Amino acid sequence: MKWKESVKGLKAYQPGKSIDAVKKEFGLDEIVKLASNENPLGCSPKVTAYLQQLTTNFALYPDGYATAMREATAKHLGVENNELIFGNGSDELISIITRALLQPGTNTVMATPTFSQYKLNAMIEGAEVREIPLKERAHDLDAMLAAIDEHTAVLWICSPNNPTGGIVEDAPLQQFLAQVPSDILVVLDEAYFEYISHDQHVDTISLLKEYNNIIILRTFSKAYGLAAFRVGYGIANADLIAKLDPVRGPFNNTVLSQSIIPVALADQQYLAKCREVNAQGKKQYIDFCQKHHLDFYPSDTNFILFEVKMDSDLVFQELMSRGYIIRSGNALGVPSYIRVTIGTEQQNTGLLAQLEAVMTTYGVFV
C-alpha cells in the first residue's frame, strides 16, 4: 500500500472503555461514566417525546442543506443561514478545516495541552504543528503570536480549553486577534460555550463583524445532551463558509439529527437547569479539593481537572474497578491529575467517596 508518509505511525483516537466493557471486566452491575464530558441529565424531555412520535422514511437521504436545523440554529444565534456550517460533531469540522487549509509546507499553532484532534488532523495533512505550552494555565497568546510566520495557516484557540477548563478572556483575545494576519484562520473552539459563567467572556459571535478570518465551533453534544446524534456547527462570515463547504461530505447529518435540533433549541429552560446542576456539582469537587489541599484548575465547563498526588493511571484503574470511569491525566498531558465529568449530585458524591478511599489506601490521605 502507498500510505501517505504523514499517517505512518499515527495512532487512532483512543476512546475510554465502554460501560459494557467495564461491567464485564470487573463483574459489576452498575457503572457511572464520568469520562467523556457528556451531560449526566441527558437531553431535553421534549426531544425524547418528539422522537417517540416521529415517523420518517429511512430510505431517503437527509436534507443536504439541513434547512430546518440551519434555520433554527441561525435564529437562536442571531446570524444568517449562510453563516453556518454543520458537521458530524465538531470533530468533523476540525477535519474539514485542516483538509481545506493545511498541507506540507504549512504550519499550525495551538496550545498544549489542548484538544488532541487539532494536532492529529494537522499531522495527517502533513503540516508542521507548533505547540505552545500554557502560561499560568491559560493560552500564551504572546508566544502563539511569536510562533506565526508566513507559512502559518491555522491558529487554534480552545476556550474553554479541554482538558484544563479555562477560558481566554475577552480583552486579551481581542488584542490577539488584532495582531493576527488576516490570511490566517483563527478557530475559536467553544464546545463548552453553554457552561461558561466567567464575567470576562463575551459571546464571540460579535467578533465576526470585525474579523473575517474567524470561525467559531460549537456543538450540541455537551450541554444539550445530544452526543449520540453527532451535530457540531461552525459560525463564520458567509464567504469563509462558502470556501469550507465544498470540503464537507454530502448528507453528513442524519435525518434524526436534523429533526431534533430545533426541538432542543426551543427548550432553553431545560438548558438552564443543566447549567444549574453543573454549577452545584462543580462546587462538590472544589470543596473536596479544598478540604484535602488538592490543586485544581478553575473550570468553565462540565468537567474539572484536579490533583491526586499519585499515579493518575492507578487512580483510573482503581476507580474503574469500583464502578466509576474517569480520565487519567497521563493521557491528557497532565500527570498526577485526573479529569472528571461533573455528574449528578449522587454520582459526584459516590465518586468522591471512592476516590477518598483509594487515596487513603495508597497513603495520600492519612
Side-chain angles (χ1 to χ4, degrees), residues 26 34 56 77 98 103 110 112 122 180 238 273 304 319 346:
F26 294 100
L34 298 174
T56 302
L77 299 172
T98 55
Q103 59 187 315
M110 64 193 68
T112 185
V180 176
K273 175 187 175 182
I304 185 165
L319 287 176
Q346 182 180 5

Side-chain angles (χ1 to χ4, degrees), residues 319-366:
L319 287 176
M320 189 161 54
S321 71
R322 297 162 185 248
Y324 291 88
I325 310 175
I326 52 97
R327 285 298 301 272
S328 167
N330 288 345
L332 303 170
V334 195
S336 77
Y337 284 68
I338 59 174
R339 192 194 70 186
V340 181
T341 303
I342 297 166
T344 64
E345 180 181 5
Q346 182 180 5
Q347 290 172 338
N348 300 331
T349 299
L351 181 139
L352 289 171
Q354 294 299 330
L355 177 60
E356 188 165 28
V358 169
M359 295 176 77
T360 300
T361 298
Y362 285 91
V364 177
F365 298 155
V366 293

Side-chain angles (χ1 to χ4, degrees), residues 74 77 83 103 146-147 190 208 219 248 293 319 339 348 353:
L77 299 172
E83 293 177 321
Q103 59 187 315
E190 298 181 346
L208 297 177
T219 183
R248 177 182 62 85
H293 307 290
L319 287 176
R339 192 194 70 186
N348 300 331

Side-chain angles (χ1 to χ4, degrees), residues 35-211:
S36 300
N37 308 333
E38 295 137 332
N39 185 338
L41 302 182
C43 66
S44 162
K46 294 182 179 179
V47 172
T48 304
Y50 176 82
L51 287 169
Q52 289 172 345
Q53 56 82 42
L54 184 65
T55 56
T56 302
N57 184 348
F58 294 112
L60 303 180
Y61 284 107
D63 174 7
Y65 192 62
T67 304
M69 178 167 72
R70 182 180 300 274
E71 290 178 349
T73 306
K75 181 179 179 181
H76 175 71
L77 299 172
V79 300
E80 298 299 322
N81 289 353
N82 61 0
E83 293 177 321
L84 294 170
I85 183 171
F86 289 91
N88 189 250
S90 295
D91 299 283
E92 186 188 22
L93 295 172
I94 293 167
S95 177
I96 288 170
I97 290 166
T98 55
R99 187 178 180 193
L101 289 162
L102 296 179
Q103 59 187 315
T106 64
N107 67 70
T108 181
V109 179
M110 64 193 68
T112 185
T114 194
F115 188 46
S116 61
Q117 293 303 292
Y118 312 147
K119 181 177 181 178
L120 177 64
N121 280 276
M123 292 176 68
I124 291 170
E125 300 304 327
E128 177 192 354
V129 177
R130 298 183 175 180
E131 297 180 280
I132 309 301
L134 298 179
K135 181 180 181 181
E136 298 177 357
R137 302 191 167 178
H139 282 61
D140 188 345
L141 299 180
D142 291 336
M144 293 180 77
L145 283 170
I148 293 173
D149 63 20
E150 67 272 19
H151 303 296
T152 305
V154 183
L155 279 163
W156 303 89
I157 303 289
C158 189
S159 179
N161 189 41
N162 183 5
T164 56
I167 65 157
V168 176
E169 295 185 4
D170 176 51
L173 177 62
Q174 296 213 38
Q175 293 169 9
F176 173 80
L177 293 173
Q179 299 176 74
V180 176
S182 60
D183 63 345
I184 297 175
L185 179 64
V186 180
V187 182
L188 303 178
D189 188 347
E190 298 181 346
Y192 300 91
F193 171 78
E194 288 81 9
Y195 288 112
I196 296 173
S197 59
H198 201 293
D199 61 2
Q200 295 302 311
H201 184 280
V202 298
D203 190 338
T204 47
I205 290 177
S206 62
L207 299 174
L208 297 177
K209 297 178 180 178
E210 187 173 355
Y211 301 100

